[in-house]
Amino acid sequence: MSVIAGGAVILLAGMAWTVAPSSRLPQPDPDGLSLPDFFEGKSVSKGTVTTAFISTEAFTAEFEGKQTGDRFQLDERFAFSDGKRLQRWDLVRTGPGIYGGTVATELKTGDLAPPMPVVGVQTKNGAVLDYDGYAPGGGGTLLHFRHEMTGRPDGTVANHVTVSKFGIPLATSDVTFAKSRDALAPY
């Protein structure tokens, strides 16, 4: 049974997480973009976030990823104009091209919010992650995030993120992931 068809229970760090089914996820492609393979070791990104489709802010991030079997842990350290924020991903490959796990995000207070369930799939040219969670450096408002990643011929990965609440888009983010800063085009 796939995450798409009926949900899955993921045992992660000694805790059971129930991952809700998501009809919003495309059909998985096991030969698509492997997030653990791309983010293993060090990576970087830069991008923009546009809030309420009015205000745009640039940011960068540094990543440190470690894969152990089917489990992948990734620390993402954002640098915004108002400070640095941590987002900690703990993903498990639950089937061919299917991911489940959690993401914990540092809030405005500096505290790490409780880990929230994440589901995702590898697609033909990328990957999609879907979850309810918190904005890095934000407050305690639970938001919905959808990451749509696409591998590029130059070895970078484009990521378009839609942030919504009650199905209403509130913000978007466009990000480029790379293995080195030299691979990131200047803004």
Side-chain angles (χ1 to χ4, degrees):
M1 177 185 294
S2 75
V3 170
I4 296 167
V9 174
I10 299 165
L11 297 177
L12 192 59
M15 302 161 62
W17 291 95
T18 302
V19 178
S22 177
S23 61
R24 298 179 292 228
L25 292 175
Q27 189 65 30
D29 182 343
D31 297 323
L33 174 69
S34 167
L35 297 177
D37 289 350
F38 182 83
F39 285 106
E40 176 85 30
K42 295 184 184 287
S43 305
V44 294
S45 73
K46 70 178 181 178
T48 58
V49 61
T50 302
T51 307
F53 306 102
I54 298 171
S55 166
T56 299
E57 178 182 6
F59 65 90
T60 60
E62 296 180 351
F63 301 82
E64 182 73 37
K66 181 181 177 186
Q67 184 172 352
T68 308
D70 284 337
R71 184 175 184 186
F72 182 68
Q73 296 171 300
L74 181 69
D75 278 357
E76 181 176 11
R77 299 185 187 280
F78 290 100
F80 292 99
S81 62
D82 67 345
K84 296 187 177 196
R85 304 284 187 255
L86 171 65
Q87 196 162 49
R88 180 162 285 148
W89 300 83
D90 198 345
L91 301 176
V92 175
R93 192 179 317 256
T94 61
I98 301 172
Y99 298 100
T102 62
V103 60
T105 305
E106 185 177 347
L107 303 174
K108 184 188 299 188
T109 62
D111 297 322
L112 208 56
M116 301 299 294
V118 175
V119 294
V121 296
Q122 291 175 202
T123 62
K124 181 177 181 179
N125 297 316
V128 175
L129 294 175
D130 202 65
Y131 61 97
D132 290 334
Y134 302 95
T141 302
L142 193 62
L143 302 166
H144 183 78
F145 293 81
R146 181 179 176 92
H147 294 250
E148 296 183 11
M149 293 169 252
T150 305
R152 295 178 173 160
D154 66 0
T156 64
V157 173
N159 184 23
H160 179 75
V161 183
T162 302
V163 183
S164 59
K165 181 76 175 175
F166 305 120
I168 300 168
L170 302 176
T172 59
S173 181
D174 288 297
V175 186
T176 300
F177 301 127
K179 293 308 289 179
S180 73
R181 290 211 183 281
D182 295 340
L184 295 174
Y187 271 30

